[in-house]
Each structure stands twice: as C-alpha cells, then as structure tokens.
Amino acid sequence: MLPPELIQSLGWSSSTSSMQLMPPGFSGASVYKVALSSGDQYAVKRLPKSANPVRIAQIHSVLDRLTCGGIEGLPTLQRFQDGSTCLSLGNSLWEVTTWLGGTPLSADAEVSLVAKGAGAIGRFHKASVHLLGHACL
C-alpha cells in the first residue's frame, strides 16, 4: 500500500496499526487513513502527478502559519525525518497531515450544512488576511 521508505521517513516502522485507502477527493490525490498504535490518525496523501512542488511548498507555508497562529479546524502537517513536509519518492510527492474526520456533503445537501462549510472557508480566508496580510490560496 504505502512505500516502506515513506513509513520509515515518518518514524512509523513499528507503530502502524491500520492503513485504509479512502475515496479520492477533489484534488485527485490518493488518500490513505493511517492509524498508529498510539491511537493517532493521519491522512497520507500521494499527490497527483500534476502537483507543482513550489505550489505545494507555498500551501504548506500558509497552513503552518495559520495553525501556528491558533486557527482551529485545520489539519496539522507532519514532518518527515529530514524536516520537510513533502517527500519525493520515485515519481510521486507525498504529504501527511493529522486526520480530520467527517463526511462529504452530497449534491443535494441541506442549505444549512452548505452554509456551515462556507462559513468555515470564510473564517480561513479572514484569518489568512489577518496573519499573512493578504488572502491566501
């Protein structure tokens, strides 16, 4: 499922208890839900071939600044043993974040649920202006 080099680079060699391939999301990434024996859960993503490493670094920088700035509800990027947040293995780029559980909304979801999601996106952008001086992404 996941490359052994990836598991080793995270220091998880003897601590994974389960790995599950999840349905793909909007980005086109392959997403694995990984549980460790400690109970911690992570999203391990194999980014699509079209992913631009420079853009990934920009996005990771924004996420780091917002989570360090106290913005809640965002996944926390995990670092590989070399300190990076993105790992290149073969022809693939990988990233790992804390697992944020939830269920995707259906196309006919109630307006109140869509509004709740829109509100969260709005808070993210408002926080990015406050912390970064400009809207991000």
Side-chain angles (χ1 to χ4, degrees), residues 2 6-7 10 12 30-34 42-46 80 94-97 99:
L2 295 176
L6 176 78
I7 300 297
L10 291 161
W12 292 352
S30 298
V31 180
Y32 296 85
K33 181 180 182 181
V34 177
Y42 297 93
V44 178
K45 300 175 189 175
R46 180 180 182 195
F80 295 95
W94 296 83
E95 69 178 19
V96 180
T97 65
W99 181 262

Side-chain angles (χ1 to χ4, degrees), residues 14-86:
S14 61
S15 60
T16 56
S17 63
S18 69
M19 292 182 214
Q20 178 183 4
L21 180 62
M22 303 303 289
F26 291 119
S27 72
S30 298
V31 180
Y32 296 85
K33 181 180 182 181
V34 177
L36 303 184
S37 54
S38 65
D40 294 332
Q41 297 181 329
Y42 297 93
V44 178
K45 300 175 189 175
R46 180 180 182 195
L47 302 175
K49 299 277 186 217
S50 61
N52 179 328
V54 172
R55 182 67 173 154
I56 298 302
Q58 291 170 339
I59 292 167
H60 286 188
S61 175
V62 169
L63 279 174
D64 271 345
R65 289 188 65 191
L66 292 176
T67 48
C68 289
I71 304 306
E72 296 179 7
L74 298 176
T76 303
L77 287 162
Q78 303 301 294
R79 298 197 179 277
F80 295 95
Q81 287 180 339
D82 67 0
S84 68
T85 58
C86 189

